Amino acid sequence: MMSNNRVCRAEHSGMLDTKFRKFFHNPEKILKPYISKEMRVLDMGCGPGFFTIEMANLVENTGSVIAADLQEEMLFKLKDKVKNTIFEDKISFLKCEKDKIGLSDDFDFILVFYMLHEVPSQRKFLEELFSHLKANGKILISEPKFHVTKKDFQKSEKIINEIGFKIIERPSIFLSRSIVIQKE
């Protein structure tokens, strides 16, 4: 679903997973309003797992998390990070294809953080997510203001509305353009 020339490469992923970043993008603060125990959740474009581990923490022992990424190297980094931890059995890994996510499950919550702008066909990508979102399920989309202009984000919102999503919230996330959507 993503074009390799626009994707943050795995060798640069260290900047995505730092304690300093948690000061600006605290995973618990961002995710807690949307995730609870027993949920099935998806971290789309998980990278090295900055949000994935907190997702696994929030679903507790009764929920599950799928970490999906185009780059196998990112999935390896996350697998190494959770190896021999309580999260090892809670997180499943999915390597996406360039033009298809390849989901087989339905989700209560999907996180799309700083990666929608990397997708060559936002419509196709969002339609696939729509088909795998449970009734009343939510998707949090957050894009970096330094990569995505207000005009470009509005184009994404137009596609979102055309597909059948409804924007239900505009959370404030540092240096980000963010929305929470669900099926209409």
Side-chain angles (χ1 to χ4, degrees):
M1 287 308 295
M2 295 167 270
S3 168
N4 273 331
N5 61 349
R6 298 176 69 192
V7 174
C8 179
R9 304 298 308 155
E11 56 266 18
H12 303 294
S13 67
M15 66 184 177
L16 300 174
D17 196 16
T18 66
K19 290 182 187 215
F20 181 70
R21 183 180 178 199
K22 286 186 181 182
F23 180 74
F24 299 105
H25 291 148
N26 181 304
E28 181 184 12
K29 183 179 176 189
I30 291 170
L31 298 170
K32 194 170 186 172
Y34 312 107
I35 299 176
S36 58
K37 63 182 179 176
E38 299 182 11
M39 283 187 156
R40 183 149 185 79
V41 301
L42 170 66
D43 188 358
M44 189 63 238
C46 65
F50 182 75
F51 290 100
T52 313
I53 291 173
E54 184 58 34
M55 293 171 93
N57 187 48
L58 290 169
V59 298
E60 297 182 7
N61 290 331
T62 55
S64 61
V65 178
I66 292 185
D69 206 285
L70 176 68
Q71 300 176 77
E72 202 155 15
E73 298 88 358
M74 292 289 201
L75 296 174
F76 287 145
K77 286 180 181 236
L78 179 53
K79 285 178 186 178
D80 283 345
K81 188 191 292 187
V82 300
K83 189 176 183 177
N84 299 320
T85 72
I86 61 169
F87 303 112
E88 188 173 28
D89 293 331
K90 274 202 251 182
I91 300 170
S92 300
F93 301 89
L94 173 67
K95 185 188 176 303
C96 303
E97 299 171 31
K98 286 185 179 184
D99 61 347
K100 184 179 178 185
I101 302 168
L103 298 170
S104 59
D105 300 51
D106 291 336
F107 299 91
D108 299 292
F109 177 80
I110 300 171
L111 178 65
V112 179
F113 203 93
Y114 279 30
M115 58 80 53
L116 184 61
H117 66 279
E118 297 177 344
V119 177
S121 174
Q122 287 187 16
R123 179 173 301 280
K124 186 175 178 184
F125 172 77
L126 290 163
E127 285 172 346
E128 189 171 353
L129 291 183
F130 185 89
S131 70
H132 290 283
L133 189 64
K134 292 180 181 178
N136 299 314
K138 294 179 176 75
I139 300 175
L140 169 58
I141 297 173
S142 191
E143 289 283 83
K145 284 185 176 179
F146 49 88
H147 279 307
V148 179
T149 65
K150 184 176 182 179
K151 185 177 179 180
D152 286 339
F153 197 70
Q154 288 171 335
K155 287 179 188 175
S156 297
E157 288 181 5
K158 184 176 187 281
I159 294 167
I160 285 163
N161 287 323
E162 290 170 356
I163 290 170
F165 286 112
K166 178 181 177 186
I167 297 171
I168 60 168
E169 188 181 343
R170 293 183 183 276
S172 178
I173 298 174
F174 184 74
L175 288 178
S176 305
R177 303 182 197 288
S178 305
I179 55 176
V180 177
I181 60 177
Q182 73 185 139
K183 289 182 181 181
E184 271 200 289

